[in-house]
Amino acid sequence: MTSYMTNLAFYVPELIVVGAMILLLFIYAFSGGSSKKLNTILSTVAAFILVFVGYLQFGFLQAPIQEIFSRSVVIDQFGTILKMVMVVGTLGVIYMAMVSQEIVEDLKFEFIILVLGVLVGAMLLVSATSMITIYVGLETISIISYALSALKKNDDLSAEAGLKYVLYGGFASGVMLFGMSHIYGVLGTLFVYDFPAQLASLTFDNMLVLVPAFLMFFVGLGYKISAVPFHMWTPDVYEGSPVPVTTFFAIVPKVAALGALYRLSTVLIGQETILATTWITLIGIVGALTMTVGNIAAIGQRSVKRMLAYSSISHAGFIILATLVVDQIGSRSLVFYAIVYLFMTLVAFMITGAVSDKYGNDYFDRFRGLILRYPLMAISMVIIMLSLAGIPPLAGFVAKFNILAAIIKEGYYTLAVIAGLNSVISLYYYMKIVRLMVLKEAESTEDIANFSISVQSVVIFLTIPVVFLGIFWETILAFANGAQIFIK
Amino acid sequence: MMNLAAYLFISLVLFLCGIIVIIARKNIVAILIGMELILNAAALNFVAYSRYVTHHIDGHIFPLFIIVVAAAEAVVGLAIVIRFFQIKETIHIDDATQLQS
C-alpha cells in the first residue's frame, strides 16, 4: 500500500487543472471587469496549462499501471490516452470560444473555467474504478455541463436547453445511483474490479436483483454517451447551446463516459453468467439502435448543427460496439476512433460555428457556394464529411474498419452488417452539404468575418491529421496499441 | 424490529414516488423535488445494505457523497429554473417547447 503523497504524484495532471481553475478565477477577480485583453490572457494561460497537462500524460504512458487512492482510481495507458484526447479537445474548444461571437466577451472567462471543471470530472471518470469515483466523476461533468448549456444568460433557447439538461440529467443519475445501491448490496463491494470474484458465487435470486441493477447503472452512462433511448436531450441541448459548448459536449463527456463503459465491460464480459449475456445483448442492441436512430434522424434536419448533433449520436453508437470486445483489439479500436472523432468533430463544428456566427443560423443553405468564396474551408469540410461517412482513404474509414474488424472477430456479424448499412445511410446527409457547397451558387458574396487567417490555418491544421491518419494509420495504431487497460 | 426488507421496501416506494412525480407533475420545482426523492431512496439503500449485509463503512461513505452532490445539483438546477422563470415568467414544463426534438 503506497502512501497518500505517493498517490498524489500520479494525480498531478488533474490537480494542475483544478489549480488552473482557481488561478484563472483569481486573475479575473483581481483584474476588475472583463475585457478583450483579459480574455486573451486567460485563454493563453489556460492553453499553456493544458498543453503542459497533455505533455505530462506522455510520462504516464511509459509508467507501470498503478492503482491509487485506496484502489478508487487506476492510472493505466487506456485512460491516459483518452485523457490526452480530452485535453486536446478542450484546447480546441477554448480556441473556438475565443473566436466565437456567439459567446459574448463577458462570458468567455466563465466558459474557460467551466470547461476546465468538466475536464477534471472527465479525467476522473475515465480512470475511476470504484462506484463512488464513477458517480463523482459523472456528476462533476453533469453539474458543470448544466451551467455550460445555459451559458447565454438572456437567450430563451439557451435557458431551455439548460433546463432540459438538468431535468433529464438529474433523473438519469438518480436511476443510476439506485442501481448502484443494489449492486453494492448484492455484491458487497464498491470496487468495479472486485465484481468478477463476487459474481462467481451468486444464486439465481441474486441475479434477479443484479441484472436490473446493472441496467439502471447503464442508464447513467448511456445518458452521458447519449445512447438511444437516453438521447432525447441531446438534439435540444446541442441546438440551444452556443456552438463551442456543443462541440465540447460532443467530445469530452462522451469520450469519458465511453471510457468508463469500456472499463465496466471488461469486468462484466467474459464470464459465463446471465449478467454477462444480458450485458452483451444490452450493449449490442443499444449500439445498433444508437447508430440507426442517430442516422435516420439526421437525414431530415435543416440546421447543420442539429445534423452534426445527430451524427455525433450515431458515431457514439459505433464506439459503443467497440465496448463489446474486451481485449487489446477492442481497446485499440476504441482509442483510435476517439482520436479520429476528436479531429473530425472539431473541424466540422469550427466551420459551422463561423458560418452561423455570420448569418445567425446554420441552415444548410448558408453553406451554398462556399467553395468559390473560401476554397480551403470548403475543401476541409468536404474532407471531414467524407471522413465522417467513412470513405477510404480517410481516417474515418480506418477507425470504422478497426471497430468492424474487432466485432467481426468476436462473431457479432449482425451488428457488423447494421454498422455497415449505417455508414451508407450517413453518406446521404453528409453528401447533401458537400453538394450544396460545391455545386450550388452562393447566396451572397459578403465576407465571413470568422474565417480569418488564424481560424483558417487552425482548421487546416486540424484537417491534416484526418488525411494523414487515413493513409499512415499504422503509426497511430501502434500508439493506440499501447492502450492497455487495467485487468485484475 | 426493522429488517432489511422493510428498508428496501421503503426505498423502493420512495424511488417509485420520485419517478411518478417526475412523470406526472408539470411544475419544474416539483420535478426537482422528485429527483431528490430518487437520490434519497438510493442513499437509504446504501445505509441499509451496509447495516444488514456488508457491515462495511463504504456504504456509509457513499450517502455522504450523494448528499453533497445532490446539494450542488440542486443549486445549479434551481439557478437555471430561476433564469428560465425570469425569461418566460412560468415554471410550467409544457412551456419549454421551443426546441423541438
Side-chain angles (χ1 to χ4, degrees):
Chain A
M1 200 71 190
T2 47
S3 79
Y4 195 73
M5 293 313 280
T6 337
N7 287 337
L8 278 183
F10 287 90
Y11 214 60
V12 167
E14 282 88 340
L15 294 177
I16 291 178
V17 181
V18 174
M21 281 175 77
I22 300 168
L23 177 74
L24 294 180
L25 210 51
F26 270 97
I27 295 180
Y28 180 78
F30 289 111
S31 60
S34 66
S35 63
K36 205 168 165 68
K37 196 177 149 213
L38 178 68
N39 283 333
T40 319
I41 296 172
L42 288 177
S43 59
T44 319
V45 171
F48 273 111
I49 289 170
L50 283 178
V51 169
F52 181 64
V53 168
Y55 169 75
L56 280 181
Q57 300 292 351
F58 278 102
F60 291 121
L61 277 184
Q62 317 302 333
I65 293 173
Q66 192 89 16
E67 281 186 295
I68 58 174
F69 298 137
S70 314
R71 299 170 51 232
S72 304
V73 171
V74 66
I75 305 292
D76 58 3
Q77 279 80 3
F78 173 76
T80 306
I81 297 181
L82 288 186
K83 281 178 197 171
M84 284 181 189
V85 170
M86 295 186 297
V87 168
V88 176
T90 314
L91 208 55
V93 167
I94 288 180
Y95 177 75
M96 280 178 75
M98 280 304 118
V99 295
S100 164
Q101 289 158 14
E102 210 177 351
I103 301 179
V104 293
E105 291 293 335
D106 285 353
L107 293 176
K108 283 185 179 171
F109 89 97
E110 282 183 27
F111 176 86
I112 296 171
I113 292 169
L114 290 175
V115 293
L116 289 180
V118 178
L119 182 65
V120 175
M123 286 164 101
L124 177 62
L125 184 57
V126 288
S127 48
T129 59
S130 142
M131 287 200 282
I132 293 184
T133 38
I134 290 177
Y135 174 64
V136 172
L138 207 64
E139 284 295 279
T140 314
I141 297 176
S142 299
I143 292 173
I144 305 178
S145 300
Y146 303 154
L148 266 177
S149 61
L151 195 66
K152 287 193 286 183
K153 283 184 190 137
N154 295 315
D155 182 89
D156 47 353
L157 287 184
S158 201
E160 192 186 317
L163 183 69
K164 285 189 171 167
Y165 206 2
V166 171
L167 296 183
Y168 285 120
F171 179 65
S173 65
V175 171
M176 181 185 76
L177 262 185
F178 197 72
M180 278 179 169
S181 68
H182 283 292
I183 295 172
Y184 172 69
V186 175
L187 295 181
T189 175
L190 287 176
F191 297 99
V192 168
Y193 284 111
D194 289 348
F195 287 177
Q198 302 292 330
L199 282 172
S201 58
L202 284 183
T203 61
F204 182 73
D205 288 0
N206 291 143
M207 277 298 174
L208 226 48
V209 179
L210 206 56
V211 171
F214 269 102
L215 295 186
M216 285 175 159
F217 194 164
F218 183 79
V219 172
L221 288 174
Y223 154 80
K224 270 281 150 241
I225 304 170
S226 61
V228 177
F230 321 113
H231 72 294
M232 304 305 291
W233 61 278
T234 320
D236 289 358
V237 171
Y238 281 21
E239 192 186 357
S241 313
V243 178
V245 175
T246 308
T247 321
F248 188 70
F249 286 166
I251 299 172
V252 175
K254 247 179 213 187
V255 170
L258 282 164
L261 182 67
Y262 189 75
R263 207 177 280 284
L264 200 58
S265 281
T266 55
V267 176
L268 296 180
I269 296 178
Q271 303 166 54
E272 294 297 318
T273 56
I274 314 169
L275 183 61
T277 329
T278 321
W279 189 256
I280 290 173
T281 322
L282 172 74
I283 291 194
I285 291 174
V286 167
L289 270 180
T290 309
M291 285 189 300
T292 317
V293 171
N295 271 329
I296 288 174
I299 290 176
Q301 298 307 320
R302 211 156 52 113
S303 144
V304 174
K305 196 165 133 194
R306 220 175 151 91
M307 180 275 274
L308 287 173
Y310 277 113
S311 114
S312 84
I313 294 179
S314 81
H315 282 276
F318 229 103
I319 309 183
I320 289 175
L321 294 188
T323 58
L324 282 172
V325 190
V326 292
D327 54 12
Q328 180 120 22
I329 295 176
S331 67
R332 183 178 77 181
S333 62
L334 192 152
V335 165
F336 191 94
Y337 207 108
I339 296 172
V340 174
Y341 175 75
L342 161 77
F343 289 115
M344 297 191 300
T345 314
L346 272 180
V347 176
F349 275 110
M350 237 179 226
I351 294 174
T352 312
V355 172
S356 97
D357 268 355
K358 165 72 186 166
Y359 297 107
N361 64 50
D362 44 33
Y363 294 150
F364 274 89
D365 286 340
R366 301 292 97 80
F367 285 80
R368 290 168 78 128
L370 201 67
I371 193 137
L372 291 176
R373 295 153 65 204
Y374 293 97
L376 285 173
M377 293 301 94
I379 289 168
S380 300
M381 191 71 169
V382 170
I383 290 174
I384 294 301
M385 287 299 137
L386 291 175
S387 175
L388 281 169
I391 305 283
L394 296 165
F397 166 74
V398 185
K400 284 189 178 176
F401 178 80
N402 269 322
I403 287 185
L404 283 181
I407 57 174
I408 286 174
K409 181 185 71 85
E410 294 288 307
Y412 303 114
Y413 300 112
T414 328
L415 285 177
V417 171
I418 295 175
L421 286 177
N422 268 296
S423 289
V424 179
I425 299 175
S426 71
L427 196 59
Y428 170 76
Y429 59 85
Y430 290 132
M431 283 307 112
K432 202 159 89 179
I433 193 166
V434 170
R435 185 179 66 98
L436 283 175
M437 280 192 303
V438 179
L439 299 179
K440 297 281 176 172
E441 279 176 19
E443 285 181 323
S444 68
T445 51
E446 290 170 65
D447 284 349
I448 297 176
N450 266 19
F451 282 141
S452 60
I453 302 292
S454 65
V455 173
Q456 295 214 19
S457 42
V458 168
V459 165
I460 291 163
F461 178 73
L462 289 173
T463 313
I464 289 169
V466 174
V467 182
F468 181 82
L469 291 182
I471 301 166
F472 305 102
W473 48 271
E474 293 96 339
T475 43
I476 202 76
L477 201 63
F479 176 67
N481 221 350
Q484 227 135 21
I485 189 157
F486 178 73
I487 289 172
K488 195 149 184 159
Chain B
M1 183 63 192
M2 298 276 281
N3 57 12
L4 178 64
Y7 281 107
L8 292 186
F9 180 72
I10 292 173
S11 94
L12 186 66
V13 170
L14 269 178
F15 180 73
L16 291 178
C17 285
I19 288 195
I20 291 168
V21 166
I22 289 177
I23 292 172
R25 291 296 298 267
K26 297 291 180 188
N27 186 316
I28 296 170
V29 176
I31 296 176
L32 286 177
I33 295 172
M35 281 173 199
E36 297 296 320
L37 284 183
I38 294 183
L39 293 179
N40 286 335
L44 184 62
N45 260 347
F46 272 113
V47 178
Y49 274 127
S50 96
R51 166 76 174 76
Y52 290 101
V53 183
T54 61
H55 305 291
H56 196 277
I57 194 77
D58 284 355
H60 294 287
I61 305 291
F62 209 137
L64 292 178
F65 278 92
I66 295 176
I67 292 164
V68 173
V69 171
E73 196 165 346
V75 167
V76 176
L78 280 176
I80 291 174
V81 173
I82 289 171
R83 175 51 62 181
F84 182 78
F85 177 71
Q86 284 171 341
I87 292 173
K88 299 251 181 154
E89 306 211 326
T90 168
I91 46 166
H92 205 264
I93 192 69
D94 288 343
D95 292 317
T97 49
Q98 267 192 298
L99 295 162
Q100 282 299 338
S101 46

